Amino acid sequence: MFRRTFLTTAAAGVGLGFTALRAQTATLRIGLITPPAHQWSKSAEALSARLAAKSNGELTLNVLAAGQLGSESQMLQQLQTGALDFAFLTIGEFANRDADFGALLAPYLVRGIPEARRLLAQPTATELLGKTRRMGMEGLGFGLAGMRQILLRRPAVTGADLAGRKIRSLPLPQELDFWTKCGATPTPLPLPALYDAMSNGQIDGMQIDYEGAWNSRYFDLGQEMLASDHMLFPMVAVASARRWQSFAPEMRMLIAAEITAEIENILGAYETLDPAYRGQIEATGFAVHPVGPEFFGDAVNAWYDEWRVKTPLLTSLEAEAGRR
């Protein structure tokens, strides 16, 4: 069954007015690991509502948040087989398969959300997005979460105070190497285990954004947050390549435009969410202390010296970010 609907391409930045489209009737699914209160999950719900409205109810997008479909690795496999239609995934699973994606985790590559937003629209990020096709997916855009901060059970006056401390990180070579160079002990843990690990002393701290620290009340378990803004944390919006090719061109156009529009909403949201969540944390009286790259001593420069050789694409990102 088909109905006529209309699509404005303004969301993609092209002022061509309205184009008549015909959308296939379909019930689709999008998977995420983030809880319902997280901005990515909220945006997925907004995307679902807009697709239903733009298709006159012909497209239904079911949002499966909070890891209902399993881990990101499991969701990626489902995307590859066509068992899942779409996902908002962290950069982790892509970096594990192609080290170039991990270059986006370079310490102090950008100085906040506005710079991160601009970087993710540059040619190198677009090149990375195209690499998802080799993994059985269609990359539809880069979003992000808040900048990474450091939440500690005990305060750290200098970077040397991190020596030997177990800091929760993602199991990615780029992150593990950064914390090792800082003298800390990087400790990968799945997100559901993080609260208990922090409360029982299994870890001494974590890198986390203000949103996660506030929504999950991680700051209740620590004594200090270092406002470091030391890394951005990209999200990749993807479709199953198998499912994507089965859609009619008009349907692909509609979905791509609406996902693009929602990614822009995500990028814009974090420009206000980061300072807002920080303000809420500080309002409780919790200690939040700003630190810059100098806090980490030689670790940042040593990291770049090594990873420019391992991933030459990093130099392109640095140039686009204005870092070099």
Side-chain angles (χ1 to χ4, degrees):
M1 179 180 179
F2 293 86
R3 292 181 183 172
R4 183 172 300 277
T5 188
F6 296 93
L7 167 69
T8 177
T9 56
V14 182
L16 298 180
F18 289 90
T19 303
L21 296 175
R22 299 177 69 83
Q24 293 171 305
T25 301
T27 298
L28 309 171
R29 301 192 304 163
I30 183 168
L32 310 89
I33 62 166
T34 52
H38 193 278
Q39 182 59 46
W40 295 359
S41 300
K42 292 178 181 178
S43 287
E45 293 288 357
L47 173 65
S48 175
R50 287 220 311 272
L51 284 174
K54 289 291 181 71
S55 67
N56 289 328
E58 294 294 339
L59 289 182
T60 300
L61 180 65
N62 293 328
V63 178
L64 301 167
Q68 293 181 57
L69 297 175
S71 66
E72 288 200 321
S73 177
Q74 291 169 319
M75 282 192 278
L76 191 146
Q77 293 173 5
Q78 293 166 33
L79 287 161
Q80 290 173 326
T81 63
L84 178 62
D85 302 290
F86 303 99
F88 288 170
L89 300 175
T90 67
I91 200 72
E93 288 303 319
F94 300 93
N96 277 331
R97 289 162 174 77
D98 186 328
D100 281 347
F101 282 90
L104 288 169
L105 300 174
Y108 292 100
L109 179 61
V110 296
R111 294 170 294 183
I113 298 294
E115 286 192 11
R117 185 176 184 177
R118 288 192 290 272
L119 181 66
L120 293 174
Q122 295 299 315
T124 304
T126 301
E127 177 185 341
L128 284 171
L129 203 60
K131 288 190 171 190
T132 61
R133 295 190 184 97
R134 303 176 188 174
M135 305 176 195
M137 288 166 283
E138 183 71 23
L140 300 175
F142 277 112
L144 48 70
M147 297 294 292
R148 304 286 93 177
Q149 319 302 332
I150 306 168
L151 181 62
L152 297 171
R153 284 170 54 88
R154 294 180 290 108
V157 178
T158 69
D161 293 331
L162 297 176
R165 295 200 200 183
K166 295 180 179 179
I167 304 296
R168 186 264 180 174
S169 64
L170 295 176
L172 302 175
Q174 297 84 355
E175 277 199 20
L176 299 174
D177 187 45
F178 173 70
W179 289 110
T180 299
K181 283 179 167 55
C182 290
T185 302
T187 308
L189 285 172
L191 194 61
L194 191 50
Y195 192 93
D196 286 344
M198 188 75 167
S199 63
N200 64 27
Q202 184 181 346
I203 56 174
D204 302 301
M206 65 179 80
Q207 62 173 12
I208 191 74
D209 55 35
Y210 295 120
E211 180 182 26
W214 175 260
N215 286 340
S216 297
R217 304 290 298 189
Y218 292 133
F219 67 93
D220 286 339
L221 308 174
Q223 295 183 7
E224 178 182 56
M225 176 169 273
L226 301 178
S228 56
D229 282 353
H230 63 280
M231 286 182 186
L232 67 94
F233 194 61
M235 175 268 279
V236 191
V238 290
S240 164
R242 289 190 177 189
R243 295 287 290 140
W244 190 249
Q245 291 305 315
S246 72
F247 300 154
E250 296 87 352
M251 183 173 172
R252 289 199 297 268
M253 185 184 301
L254 171 61
I255 294 172
E258 294 307 319
I259 288 180
T260 296
E262 197 52 50
I263 285 175
E264 283 300 308
N265 289 340
I266 291 172
L267 294 169
Y270 278 103
E271 291 192 26
T272 56
L273 284 176
D274 250 24
Y277 280 119
R278 174 175 176 171
Q280 288 177 278
I281 293 171
E282 289 178 313
T284 69
F286 190 78
V288 179
H289 297 141
V291 298
E294 67 283 351
F295 178 85
F296 300 98
D298 296 330
V300 174
N301 288 334
W303 188 96
Y304 275 97
D305 288 342
E306 180 173 336
W307 285 95
R308 286 185 189 120
V309 176
K310 291 183 176 180
T311 52
L313 177 142
L314 174 59
T315 59
S316 298
L317 286 172
E318 290 183 84
E320 291 170 351
R323 193 179 185 277
R324 302 191 73 187

